[in-house]
Structures are given as structure tokens and as C-alpha cells.
Amino acid sequence: GAVVSQHPSRVICKSGTSVKIECRSLDFQATTMFWYRQFPKQSLMLMATSNEGSKATYEQGVEKDKFLINHASLTLSTLTVTSAHPEDSSFYICSARELGRGNTEAFFGQGTRLTVV
Amino acid sequence: GDSVTQMEGPVTLSEEAFLTINCTYTATGYPSLFWYVQYPGEGLQLLLKATKADDKGSNKGFEATYRKETTSFHLEKGSVQVSDSAVYFCALSHLSYSGAGSYQLTFGKGTKLSVIP
């Protein structure tokens, strides 16, 4: 099956610094990638949708200047958390949909546990 | 808008017990329905899916039937194992009509299952 690799799996950073999370589709080309945030004991909340070569579409309430998304190629999307604060600590998960597929399946990365101290 | 409601957890079962996790949805049109599983410390994995009414998705002994009349997609397994301990998410998706071919998943809050020997 299709594989999505997310890196790093865990990161600890200091308040005020920026953190970049990478999401790669390893064996397929991803038309669209999605970034989710998961709070403890809560469901996944969609943060933004990105299509290769165009600006990301952010969900209501998500600060686009804080969560920078770059989908520069058909196999790579990055999420940068800028000027991180402790309240940004969360589990971030990306998913990707394969180019040309007629179905609605998406494949998920392993997730990144971000802790801001 | 779309929404997914699944039974509150946690659910604790003995090995070989029968499992049912209820899921109902609210959506316009004819969404695709999914069950995802999240093992501790990992991202989401697609467990099974159904794309139209009366379809039955099945995988690893788990089953769920798309019931349009009751707007439900309950997950069942006849005999659970310790290795089934995880969080289970019910989800639905539509194809958006933005022309970009993007879509997004709407998740339930998740149900944590613990299976004890």
C-alpha cells in the first residue's frame, strides 16, 4: 500500500523557536496533503489543505502566519510552527491523497509529537 | 455541516469477547465512510471503508456496514485480541467541488479499546 513518512516523530523545542515537520509520500505522487492536529483524548482537527504548487487553504481559526505550509513538490509538504508556544504542544499528523486516484482514500503519516517548553 | 458521532470510551473487553463500536453520521449527499485505527504512539491506519449504501467493509476480522437508512457505520468484531487494543476513529468524507479534487475527512472523537487477557 501507499506509504506516507512524517519526520520527526518527536521534537522538543524552546518557546519562541520555529519547528519544521516534513510529510513525504514515498511511493506515490500526492495531489493533496492535509495537516491535522490532535489534542489529548480528542479527535483529529483539520488545520489546512495544501495542493502542490498553490497556497494552502486553512480552516477557520487556524493562524496561517503561525502554521506555515509549503507543498513544493508532489511528494513533499512541510508544516512550520513559527514562534512556538507551550499551547502549540500537540500531536500533528499529515495525510496525502494519491494523484489520479478516483477514490477518496488518504494515507496517514506516523505523526509528530511536538512539545514546547 | 458534516459530523460524526461515535460511542464514548474507553471500552474494556476480555480477550475473545464480541466488540461493537457505534458510529452515526450527519451529512448531505452520499459520503464515503471509514474506520481508522491508531495504535499507541502511532499515526492512523485505515482499517476499512465503504463507499456506498449497503456496502460492507471488512479487514482483520473487523466489519462495518454502511446503513443509509439509519445513517450508521457500526464497527464489529466477533472475537477481539489483546493486539486490537487501540483507539478507533469513525470518519466520513466527501469530494469537494472546488475543482482541485481535494477532499477532507471528518472524524469522530475516537473510542479507546483495551483488551485484557
Side-chain angles (χ1 to χ4, degrees):
Chain A
V3 178
V4 174
S5 176
Q6 191 172 336
H7 178 81
S9 59
R10 291 179 180 272
V11 58
I12 300 173
C13 71
K14 292 184 177 180
S15 289
T17 61
S18 295
V19 174
K20 180 183 284 188
I21 302 170
E22 293 187 346
C23 180
R24 293 181 183 273
S25 56
L26 296 186
D27 51 2
F28 68 99
Q29 292 184 317
T31 324
T32 307
M33 289 188 172
F34 307 86
W35 287 95
Y36 293 85
R37 183 174 181 177
Q38 185 181 26
F39 292 99
K41 299 183 180 180
Q42 296 292 320
S43 186
L44 283 77
M45 301 300 296
L46 180 67
M47 298 175 66
T49 302
S50 70
N51 292 299
E52 185 266 338
S54 63
K55 290 184 178 180
T57 302
Y58 290 80
E59 295 300 300
Q60 192 173 9
V62 178
E63 299 175 62
K64 62 181 180 181
D65 294 330
K66 180 169 186 60
F67 298 100
L68 301 179
I69 292 172
N70 184 359
H71 193 163
S73 76
L74 284 171
T75 59
L76 174 65
S77 177
T78 59
L79 167 67
T80 301
V81 182
T82 62
S83 187
H85 290 283
E87 56 265 31
D88 298 325
S89 299
S90 191
F91 194 59
Y92 294 87
I93 304 177
C94 71
S95 73
R97 180 170 175 256
E98 187 171 357
L99 179 69
R101 283 240 169 182
N103 61 36
T104 54
E105 184 171 353
F107 303 95
F108 285 79
Q110 306 95 315
T112 297
R113 174 74 61 193
L114 170 63
T115 303
V116 184
V117 298
Chain B
D2 297 344
S3 67
V4 175
T5 302
Q6 59 183 104
M7 61 188 289
E8 297 275 335
V11 174
T12 302
L13 295 174
S14 298
E15 204 164 22
E16 299 185 2
F18 184 85
L19 168 71
T20 299
I21 301 178
N22 291 336
C23 171
T24 57
Y25 68 91
T26 302
T28 56
Y30 301 92
S32 296
L33 302 175
F34 305 83
W35 277 100
Y36 283 86
V37 58
Q38 184 180 31
Y39 297 103
E42 299 184 12
L44 272 70
Q45 301 174 27
L46 178 65
L47 180 60
L48 53 85
K49 66 178 180 180
T51 57
K52 61 183 187 295
D54 299 326
D55 267 3
K56 177 185 282 188
S58 60
N59 186 26
K60 300 180 181 179
F62 290 89
E63 293 183 340
T65 301
Y66 189 144
R67 300 288 188 198
K68 182 84 175 154
E69 63 277 13
T70 54
T71 61
S72 65
F73 193 55
H74 304 321
L75 181 68
E76 297 182 336
K77 186 174 185 181
S79 176
V80 293
Q81 306 300 312
V82 173
S83 56
D84 294 326
S85 298
V87 180
Y88 293 82
F89 290 93
C90 185
L92 68 82
S93 77
H94 284 289
L95 280 173
S96 74
Y97 299 97
S98 66
S102 64
Y103 89 107
Q104 64 186 59
L105 285 159
T106 299
F107 287 89
K109 291 189 175 182
T111 302
K112 183 177 181 179
L113 170 66
S114 297
V115 181
I116 54 178

